[in-house]
Amino acid sequence: MRSRKFLKAEQAALVWDAPGLVAGVDEAGRGPLAGPVVAAAVILDDKRPIRGLADSKTLTPLQRERLNDQILAKALCCSVAQASVEEIDTHNILQATMIAMRRAVEGLRLKPAKVLVDGNRLPTLDVLAEAIVNGDARIKAISAASILAKVHRDRLCQQLHVEFPLYGFAGHKGYGTPEHLEALLRHGACVHHRRSFSPVAAALARTMGEAAALDEAALPTPALIATVETVHLDLRAEP
């Protein structure tokens, strides 16, 4: 008779992914009208946990700054990369985001066995990768990447504000707020604006139209040429 131990079924754990380091990847700045799109990749250290990791959008600026410093100090490795405004206008924002994400992964000091990416699209990578919707709220490594990307881009916008204070980049971070749109209409676009985005294109068209009107108004008025008709009168007395 078979023993009870023999009859007891045991479920073996199935490991589908290759063992190794896992990197989380996220981006910041897909929606703004100006500035680069930034991506970050993070490999966390299980032996040095970081409390409070969450989707960067749910954190205050002060919380993000503090966690940013902890991530840089405690993670096994981190990488932040970006795609420029020119690349956004050339390839479109989705493809530029994928470029920034790929650069972030390639910039890691350690090569991960798997990459977890926030969202439903994957960049072209030479390692196993998985897209996870709402991953920035579910996966700690992606949360860490979202914080690094957000803090890095916010700091870039502070620099843009110093360079172009008329647009208020320090406040709206390049997003299409009423204040930003008003500044676009009043001052036109600067070199950091994404010209492929419709509000920026509209502001540029308006600026070009006003410039053309000014040029036309500045043209010299054609001089009026008086035509003189000579009339010959015969003043001799009649015979």
Side-chain angles (χ1 to χ4, degrees):
M1 181 177 180
R2 295 178 178 177
S3 66
R4 292 184 179 181
K5 184 178 179 180
F6 181 84
L7 294 174
K8 184 179 179 181
E10 294 184 2
Q11 182 175 351
L14 298 177
V15 181
W16 298 105
D17 298 337
L21 300 175
V22 176
V25 177
D26 201 2
E27 53 76 27
R30 285 183 63 172
L33 307 179
V37 59
V38 176
V42 178
I43 300 178
L44 293 175
D45 186 349
D46 293 337
K47 297 180 180 179
R48 305 182 72 189
I50 302 171
R51 295 181 60 184
L53 290 176
D55 176 4
S56 63
K57 296 185 291 295
T58 67
L59 302 171
T60 67
L62 181 58
Q63 288 173 325
R64 287 196 295 265
E65 288 285 347
R66 289 175 175 173
L67 286 167
N68 181 82
D69 294 342
Q70 290 189 54
I71 295 164
L72 294 177
K74 294 183 176 182
L76 287 176
C77 60
C78 308
S79 172
V80 178
Q82 62 188 50
S84 67
V85 169
E86 292 76 16
E87 289 173 313
I88 293 171
D89 289 337
T90 299
H91 301 291
N92 73 47
I93 184 59
L94 175 60
Q95 295 306 316
T97 301
M98 297 297 107
I99 291 171
M101 287 182 169
R102 173 174 52 80
R103 288 171 178 166
V105 174
E106 292 175 347
L108 288 169
R109 177 177 57 86
L110 302 173
K111 186 169 183 177
K114 185 176 182 179
V115 174
L116 304 178
V117 181
D118 181 56
N120 58 4
R121 300 290 184 94
L122 289 173
T124 301
L125 300 171
D126 62 353
V127 297
L128 182 66
E130 180 182 354
I132 301 178
V133 177
N134 296 325
D136 49 5
R138 298 165 53 192
I139 308 297
K140 291 187 181 299
I142 299 179
S143 299
S146 75
I147 292 168
L148 288 192
K150 174 64 175 170
V151 170
H152 183 85
R153 192 176 189 284
D154 284 356
R155 291 176 179 176
L156 285 178
C157 288
Q158 294 284 352
Q159 297 174 15
L160 296 187
H161 182 80
V162 173
E163 187 179 358
F164 293 94
L166 294 175
Y167 297 95
F169 289 122
H172 53 64
K173 306 300 188 295
Y175 284 89
T177 63
E179 294 78 13
H180 191 186
L181 295 176
E182 175 63 26
L184 267 175
L185 292 176
R186 183 176 300 177
H187 307 294
C190 74
V191 294
H192 300 292
H193 279 101
R194 302 172 180 179
R195 282 152 171 73
S196 57
F197 281 41
S198 56
V200 180
L204 285 171
R206 175 174 174 174
T207 302
M208 293 177 63
E210 291 175 350
L214 288 174
D215 289 342
E216 185 176 349
L219 291 175
T221 303
L224 295 177
I225 301 175
T227 302
V228 179
E229 182 178 355
T230 304
V231 179
H232 297 281
L233 300 177
D234 189 351
L235 299 180
R236 291 177 296 175
E238 294 181 1

